[in-house]
Amino acid sequence: MKRVAVVGAGTMGHGIAQVAATAGYQTCITDTQTTALDSAVERIGQNLEGGVERGKISRESADRALGLIDTCPALEHAVQEAHVVIEAVVENIDVKRDLFRTLDSLTGPATVLATNTSSLSVGAIASATKHPARVVGMHFFNPVHIMKLVEIVVHDGTDQNTINVASILTRDMGKEPIRVRDTPGFASSRLGVVLALEAMRMVEQDVATPHDIDKAMELGYGHPMGPLKVTDLVGLDVRLAIAEYLHSELGAAHYQPPEILRQMVEAGELGKKTGKGFYDWQ
Ligand code: NAD
């Protein structure tokens, strides 16, 4: 198992390619946009350079990792010899199902096909293939080269070998796998969103300032970052979409998006990316 292909070279794809190559895997990145491939290689180079400057990785290891990365505009060339293909394209079920149908026809049945979807049903993606047993979720977190968790999302038909391959690859990348059944929000969003939505309701009810609510979790519970700051980094629009999805799928009242979240999204206060959310980022 020494070759990885990453499909989609955006925010997540470039990071996944970086950690695969750093782990010693020959890594090919592909994307429908050739400009995305150029910028992925540039971002990987910058991340590695930053790692060398901060003493996190040696110059030799960084150079070796860069040398293991190829960009392949043609999907069939990128995946033809891969042992594991990791998909990180747009979060759209039709696009992902189309892609997995194609990947199924381009690769042998021993190749593991992983999706980095953050919310879609892995089973629904797998059902587009003739070999759903080799399909699994590998849910990485942003920024990939820093965040330690990978959720291994197992649908009803995923076989044990596929789970083993995904778990070994995760550990080789220096990350910790957790095994999660294919259910809405997996483990991370399902819990994290509850905390964030409740924190927003506390702002609505004037319990404390966003800063102090975050501090309660940071200093009282040992969270590295409070739920409102995390929401500002994720984007309030993204949080709203996930809350609406979880509310529709799971039905529980605690997933109902609070009014303050809807109002802030309507006002364009989306968090760090627009300069204002629960905090001022300008
Ligand atoms: P992005 O928009 O930064 O990158 C997506 C890339 O996929 C683009 O470069 C696009 O050109 C390419 N693409 C689209 N369709 C394609 C196709 N059919 N074949 C090849 N390339 C294609 O998106 P992202 O933020 O990297 O998210 C990618 C996936 O990762 C999504 O499923 C998302 O839900 C998931 N995810 C994102 C985050 C995050 O914080 N951004 C975290 C965890 C998981």
Side-chain angles (χ1 to χ4, degrees), residues 3 15 39 73-74 80 107 115 122 130-131 154 158 160 162 216 236:
R3 280 180 183 270
S39 104
Q80 64 189 0
T107 56
T115 172
V122 176
K130 293 196 179 82
H131 306 92
V154 176
T158 307
Q160 189 57 47
T162 303
L236 274 70

Side-chain angles (χ1 to χ4, degrees), residues 8 10-12 31-33 36 88-89 91 96 116 118 139-140 142:
T11 306
M12 298 305 287
D31 198 292
T32 43
Q33 309 287 325
V89 308
E91 187 77 341
K96 291 201 196 274
N116 182 45
S118 39
H139 183 208
F140 291 82
N142 184 19

Side-chain angles (χ1 to χ4, degrees), residues 252-264:
H254 49 251
Y255 290 112
Q256 179 119 42
E259 203 41 46
I260 189 174
L261 177 59
R262 294 192 187 283
Q263 285 166 358
M264 288 174 76

Side-chain angles (χ1 to χ4, degrees), residues 19-244:
V19 294
T22 305
Y25 288 79
Q26 187 71 50
T27 304
C28 198
I29 329 179
T30 185
D31 198 292
T32 43
Q33 309 287 325
T34 40
T35 50
L37 290 176
D38 295 339
S39 104
V41 172
E42 197 181 317
R43 288 160 91 180
I44 292 169
Q46 286 165 356
N47 290 344
L48 288 169
E49 193 55 42
V52 171
E53 279 163 17
R54 290 194 308 279
K56 301 276 182 202
I57 184 172
S58 68
R59 164 77 52 206
E60 297 70 44
S61 302
D63 289 346
R64 182 164 167 268
L66 264 184
L68 285 172
I69 294 175
D70 285 322
T71 55
C72 318
L75 180 65
E76 59 270 33
H77 293 147
V79 302
Q80 64 189 0
E81 287 179 36
H83 300 103
V84 180
V85 178
I86 304 174
E87 167 275 314
V89 308
V90 283
E91 187 77 341
N92 176 301
I93 188 69
D94 296 328
V95 173
K96 291 201 196 274
R97 278 176 57 85
D98 273 354
L99 178 60
F100 272 73
R101 199 173 295 119
T102 309
L103 290 174
D104 198 34
S105 66
L106 291 175
T107 56
T111 302
V112 165
L113 304 179
T115 172
N116 182 45
T117 180
S118 39
S119 64
L120 301 171
S121 156
V122 176
I125 295 169
S127 68
T129 72
K130 293 196 179 82
H131 306 92
R134 61 169 165 148
V135 178
V136 69
M138 285 182 77
H139 183 208
F140 291 82
F141 291 77
N142 184 19
V144 176
H145 63 292
I146 298 194
M147 302 299 277
K148 288 281 175 219
L149 180 67
V150 177
E151 288 184 293
I152 307 291
V153 184
V154 176
H155 71 89
D156 286 347
T158 307
D159 70 16
Q160 189 57 47
N161 177 60
T162 303
I163 298 168
N164 294 347
V165 170
S167 303
I168 291 167
L169 175 57
T170 299
R171 288 210 174 84
D172 284 351
M173 290 168 163
K175 312 218 172 279
E176 283 292 326
I178 58 167
R179 179 177 167 160
V180 185
R181 193 160 63 79
D182 182 23
T183 44
F186 312 141
S188 53
S189 299
R190 186 163 168 171
L191 265 183
V193 164
V194 174
L195 196 64
L197 297 180
E198 196 54 31
M200 292 174 207
R201 281 187 260 275
M202 288 163 67
V203 174
E204 258 177 351
Q205 293 163 19
D206 201 21
V207 173
T209 62
H211 178 263
D212 282 355
I213 292 169
D214 277 349
K215 221 174 185 179
M217 290 297 100
E218 289 163 9
L219 301 186
Y221 274 56
H223 291 196
M225 201 185 281
L228 296 166
K229 203 175 288 163
V230 173
T231 297
D232 270 9
L233 295 182
V234 169
L236 274 70
D237 51 337
V238 176
R239 274 281 201 238
L240 177 59
I242 296 172
E244 282 174 334

